[in-house]
Amino acid sequence: MPTHTRIRMFNTKDTYPNQSLDNDLCQAVRAGNTVYVRGQVGTDFDGNLVGLGDPQAQTEQAMKNLKQLLEEAGSDLSHIVKTTTYIIDPRYREPVYKEVGKWLKGVFPISTGLVVSALGQPQWLMEIDVIAVIPDDWPNAGGQA
């Protein structure tokens, strides 16, 4: 029996057609009762950018992605234990963190925030990745995603 489940597998040559990459990745991994979610940006799962030039709108889309991926893994936003948020401009901190805060009200995860010089595509203004758990008494805890 596999020790983990890979969710939404993809190859980077499909998601980064403007770059010469060929890496096999996935959007999330469920390992036991822990879920690791790849950094999410302001693109939907079809690769369409939401919110060109708008860090709040990109964050909203990233949080929608996180919600969906966690649910596919058998968890949800309330079980996030750690977030790491990357922004390319310190002025984006307020709109990004306010949007994340709307989605994680009452959750109280630990959080790391970084200002970086760039992300994987020039139009991306922010990125967020999370680690979540699936409690033993959660309805999907024993099943596979």
Side-chain angles (χ1 to χ4, degrees):
M1 183 168 163
T3 59
H4 56 279
T5 303
R6 299 183 191 284
I7 298 164
R8 290 186 179 255
M9 293 179 283
F10 67 97
N11 185 284
T12 52
K13 66 184 172 192
D14 299 322
T15 55
Y16 298 94
N18 61 327
Q19 299 174 6
S20 60
L21 299 173
D22 186 11
N23 298 331
D24 293 326
L25 301 174
C26 63
Q27 294 288 347
V29 173
R30 175 178 171 170
N33 279 7
T34 304
V35 182
Y36 303 89
V37 181
R38 178 179 194 265
Q40 297 298 305
V41 295
T43 57
D44 63 20
F45 291 125
D46 293 322
N48 303 306
L49 178 67
V50 175
L52 180 64
D54 183 344
Q56 180 277 325
Q58 289 189 22
T59 305
E60 181 180 30
Q61 181 60 49
M63 295 306 294
K64 287 179 184 177
N65 294 351
L66 288 174
K67 180 180 185 302
Q68 183 171 339
L69 289 167
L70 288 172
E71 289 172 356
E72 289 178 19
S75 188
D76 71 17
L77 293 172
S78 72
H79 297 300
I80 291 175
V81 296
K82 179 166 187 351
T83 68
T84 305
T85 305
Y86 307 85
I87 55 176
I88 64 163
D89 187 318
R91 294 172 292 186
Y92 297 159
R93 187 174 191 274
E94 199 167 309
V96 168
Y97 277 67
K98 281 185 176 182
E99 186 63 32
V100 170
K102 289 179 195 174
W103 290 78
L104 300 183
K105 189 74 175 165
V107 176
F108 302 99
I110 58 173
S111 176
T112 299
L114 302 157
V115 179
V116 297
S117 61
L119 295 168
Q121 295 288 357
Q123 66 272 24
W124 295 346
L125 306 178
M126 61 72 58
E127 185 168 342
I128 183 170
D129 66 66
V130 303
I131 300 171
V133 296
I134 306 168
D136 291 336
D137 62 351
W138 191 247
N140 296 321
Q144 291 296 311

